[in-house]
């Protein structure tokens, strides 16, 4: 199985400040079609996960542009340029290049 | 906009079979894969398995011996069966259209 490792486990930020979350995979997520199958989700308290970023850096429909994704191979980063109160929750990365699909352990974001 | 609505029994006794169904609205099964994912209380996400419209399935090896995922394209529905449940199977179970849309989740509790 591909192991997805997220850091940090949690962080507490002041509204308006930036956030950076790391996700490292145990194998490259670059497929032979040239795409990299790494996704980012936000699970707000009491809700289902919601897709934020697909294929490393593409914002999903309706996702604010303060969210951005970057990285390649095995190292990936989700950034929030200016955190807002609605960004509270747990962020997960996920890979779909190989079965079984696997998730990172999650990064909990709280607002100070 | 694709929406997923899921249902099934929320309280089971050990050794019983978990059975959940997910209906897809606003779209067809087309070329997508349709997943079941679970989340134990206070823990992270675990992918259970998926299926496409042709009925081709992939399962997490950790659950493969107990899981069956099926599809009914005439009803735009897919289903999950997990046999011989124990307390360790207590979780919120989500259906999802990989990787974009998730159902609302169903809490399944296994208790004698």
């Amino acid at each position: 199985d591909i192991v997805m490792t997220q850091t940090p486990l949690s962080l507490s930020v002041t509204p308006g400040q930036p956030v950076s979350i790391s996700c490292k995979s145990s194998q490259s997520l670059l497929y032979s079609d040239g795409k990299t199958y790494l996704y980012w989700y936000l699970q707000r308290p009491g809700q289902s996960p919601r897709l934020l970023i697909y294929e490393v850096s593409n914002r999903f429909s309706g996702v604010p542009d303060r969210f951005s994704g970057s990285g390649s191979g095995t190292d990936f980063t989700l950034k929030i340029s200016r955190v807002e109160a609605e960004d509270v929750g747990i962020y997960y990365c996920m890979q779909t290049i190989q079965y079984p699909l696997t998730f990172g352990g999650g990064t909990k974001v709280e607002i100070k | 906009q694709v929406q997923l609505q899921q249902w099934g029994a929320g309280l089971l006794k050990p050794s019983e079979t978990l059975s959940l169904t997910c209906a897809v609205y606003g779209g067809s099964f087309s070329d997508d894969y349709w997943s079941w994912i679970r989340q134990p209380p206070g823990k992270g996400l675990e992918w259970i398995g998926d299926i496409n419209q042709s009925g081709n399935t992939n399962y997490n090896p950790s659950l493969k011996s107990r899981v069956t995922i099926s599809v009914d394209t005439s009803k735009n529905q897919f289903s999950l069966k997990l046999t011989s449940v124990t307390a360790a199977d207590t979780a919120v179970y989500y259906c999802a259209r990989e990787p974009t849309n998730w159902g609302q989740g169903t809490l399944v509790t296994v208790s004698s």
Side-chain angles (χ1 to χ4, degrees):
Chain A
D1 298 6
I2 295 178
V3 177
M4 307 294 287
T5 303
Q6 282 183 241
T7 55
L9 289 179
S10 66
L11 59 152
S12 182
V13 295
T14 301
Q17 293 302 301
V19 165
S20 182
I21 298 170
S22 171
C23 176
K24 297 184 188 296
S25 57
S26 60
Q27 300 175 35
S28 175
L29 303 185
L30 174 63
Y31 192 55
S32 55
D33 62 2
K35 295 181 181 179
T36 300
Y37 290 92
L38 184 281
Y39 302 83
W40 288 99
Y41 294 87
L42 165 60
Q43 185 175 33
R44 294 184 173 125
Q47 296 186 14
S48 305
R50 167 198 175 196
L51 179 64
L52 297 175
I53 302 289
Y54 64 96
E55 295 167 15
V56 179
S57 59
N58 300 285
R59 273 187 303 276
F60 189 54
S61 175
V63 175
D65 61 7
R66 64 180 181 273
F67 290 93
S68 64
S70 63
S72 63
T74 61
D75 288 0
F76 306 95
T77 302
L78 175 71
K79 291 184 178 179
I80 310 173
S81 59
R82 295 172 303 280
V83 168
E84 298 187 6
E86 66 178 18
D87 301 335
V88 165
I90 302 176
Y91 291 78
Y92 294 97
C93 57
M94 182 187 79
Q95 65 80 21
T96 65
I97 196 174
Q98 181 185 105
Y99 286 113
L101 309 189
T102 50
F103 294 88
T107 296
K108 186 174 185 178
V109 173
E110 298 176 319
I111 299 294
K112 288 180 180 176
Chain B
Q1 175 75 355
V2 172
Q3 294 189 350
L4 293 87
Q5 185 167 358
Q6 56 184 104
W7 65 88
L11 181 60
L12 297 172
K13 290 180 167 45
S15 80
E16 292 185 333
T17 296
L18 179 157
S19 182
L20 298 173
T21 299
C22 183
V24 179
Y25 298 101
S28 65
F29 277 70
S30 62
D31 294 327
D32 295 314
Y33 270 81
W34 304 84
S35 281
W36 289 97
I37 296 153
R38 71 181 183 177
Q39 184 173 37
K43 297 189 177 180
L45 300 162
E46 179 183 31
W47 179 81
I48 298 169
D50 65 16
I51 191 166
N52 68 1
Q53 64 173 348
S54 299
N56 298 314
T57 54
N58 298 283
Y59 297 131
N60 194 321
S62 66
L63 296 166
K64 187 173 184 177
S65 63
R66 299 192 291 130
V67 171
T68 302
I69 297 175
S70 58
V71 65
D72 185 339
T73 54
S74 68
K75 294 182 179 179
N76 265 21
Q77 294 176 1
F78 62 108
S79 298
L80 168 70
K81 290 191 185 302
L82 180 67
T83 62
S84 304
V85 298
T86 70
D89 296 310
T90 294
V92 175
Y93 286 75
Y94 295 99
C95 61
R97 172 196 186 192
E98 292 173 13
T100 54
N101 306 89
W102 293 56
Q104 78 275 20
T106 301
L107 174 60
V108 177
T109 301
V110 181
S111 175
S112 55

